[in-house]
Amino acid sequence: MQKPRDSVYKRYIPSCTNRHEPGCCAYWFVFSANRLLVSTDGGTPGIPFAPSLLEWRIEPVRTQYLGTFEDHPCYSAELPPDAASPAGMQFSDIRGLYGAIDEDLFYLVGRAVQIMAWDQTHQFCGRCGAPMDRMTEEHAKVCPSCGLICYPRISPAVITAILRDGKILLAHAKHFKGNMFSLIAGFVEPGETLEDCVRREIMEEVGLKVSNIRYFGSQQWPFPNSLMIGFVADYESGEIRVDGAEIVEAGWFTADHLPVLPEEISIARKIINWYAEEYSTSRVNARP
Ligand SMILES: [Zn+2]
């Protein structure tokens, strides 16, 4: 199953209150239209690092304190969608930064973009319309008029590899680019357990029953606010019948003949890579 990675919390300490002296150098996760501002000095992208955004004459719409990374304060900041990038910097697609910047900083980019977007979309109370106040002890907002408390929204979604006699089920969804095939996935609905969701999505999208559902691992997917929870399950019964609305084609593939797959950043690819390693012919033949 998923290889454990070192915890980001060895280097990052979350907090809502900055207790550093003013003038301390900080990491700035600055977004404009969901693109991240990165410094390009020296060729490799870097997170802007300075005591203040005034260093680059940047005036954000609002900022959020995120805690410390290696004892330096971290902030997210929102710029207008048409903001120009300062000299030596550019706005970059977040997914394109995977593998190009430090993995823990990439994790923080995901956290930063979600906190920034949550602050932007929760300026007013959803129940009574009053302007919301930020809470100081955690990332939460409280309505001073009716008391409603709102937290950053995280939307859990399951993604499952279905195995049958050493083969894996892969499907092509209508919205996939090109001829890519991936695993069956979907958002958890109110009232469901994760296992219920796995069974429902698979039945709805490809008409199969599964059993022996086991946990693989999870991944934040900040596009815009998902938590992907990966599973592996065994085929139990049924014939493939695609729903035609979301899934247009699905089939059983062997580890040695896989179609075009999702990008390496995704948990889908990590699960498929695990399957390919476990079930490739050379590997199976090598078993005693
Ligand atoms: Zn209210």
Side-chain angles (χ1 to χ4, degrees), residues 88-99:
M89 296 193 181
Q90 65 181 44
F91 288 104
S92 178
D93 177 64
I94 297 174
R95 289 193 210 194
L97 292 170
Y98 179 73

Side-chain angles (χ1 to χ4, degrees), residues 20-60:
H20 279 75
E21 296 292 320
C24 180
C25 261
Y27 288 99
W28 291 93
F29 298 89
V30 180
F31 300 93
S32 172
N34 281 327
R35 290 165 69 82
L36 179 73
L37 187 69
V38 291
S39 60
T40 48
D41 288 344
T44 51
I47 305 299
F49 187 63
S52 157
L53 286 179
L54 292 174
E55 190 98 359
W56 303 289
R57 301 181 185 201
I58 292 173
E59 287 184 43

Side-chain angles (χ1 to χ4, degrees), residues 125-130 132 143-148:
C125 175
R127 185 156 64 191
C128 77
M132 297 288 268
C143 173
S145 173
C146 76
L148 181 72

